[in-house]
Amino acid sequence: MGFWAWFAIFISITTISLATYVFIGLWLAKKAKQLEPAGARLQALSEKLLATQFADVSTPVLVAALDQTSEQVLSRHNEVLKANKRRKEAQQRRLIERLRTMKIDESRFR
């Protein structure tokens, strides 16, 4: 075989490999574009976490129940019960919201 035959073979191999790389690149770009909504949600969550990371947390000074009056102890107990109830209701709301916005076609359900 002559020079031009080998030249055509190597040019065709190069063209086919470049076309394959372009196809793989487009396929990866398509997959990356599908991850964009999840990335936006994670970005919003990370901003919330950064905001709470540097928040000033004040803890109340604890006093033993024996050193308080019974009214104070009962009111504190009722506050704790109300806070627990609010926390559980908020957890239920979050769960319902998560179920409402859940996409069934996610890959983990396949």
Side-chain angles (χ1 to χ4, degrees):
M1 291 210 285
F3 168 78
W4 292 109
W6 285 110
F7 184 76
I9 290 171
F10 283 113
I11 290 294
S12 63
I13 290 172
T14 304
T15 306
I16 290 171
S17 65
L18 288 175
T20 305
Y21 286 137
V22 167
F23 174 73
I24 291 172
L26 291 174
W27 179 70
L28 287 174
K30 180 179 156 188
K31 289 287 186 179
K33 190 168 183 105
Q34 291 175 353
L35 293 175
E36 190 173 355
R41 283 192 312 240
L42 287 176
Q43 183 68 27
L45 288 174
S46 69
E47 289 172 1
K48 285 181 184 178
L49 283 175
L50 283 176
T52 59
Q53 180 181 6
F54 299 110
D56 186 27
V57 179
S58 60
T59 56
V61 177
L62 298 179
V63 179
L66 294 175
D67 296 336
Q68 298 178 2
T69 63
S70 61
E71 292 84 18
Q72 290 174 329
V73 172
L74 287 176
S75 67
R76 173 69 181 141
H77 179 67
N78 289 335
E79 288 175 14
V80 169
L81 291 177
K82 287 178 186 177
N84 287 344
K85 185 177 178 182
R86 282 194 305 263
R87 190 187 80 238
K88 287 179 183 178
E89 289 173 353
Q91 184 179 9
Q92 287 178 346
R93 280 194 302 273
R94 286 192 307 268
L95 177 63
I96 291 170
E97 183 63 30
R98 194 178 318 147
L99 289 173
R100 187 178 299 149
T101 60
M102 184 173 65
K103 295 180 183 173
I104 303 299
D105 60 344
E106 290 183 2
S107 63
R108 62 183 174 166
F109 296 116
R110 291 184 197 163

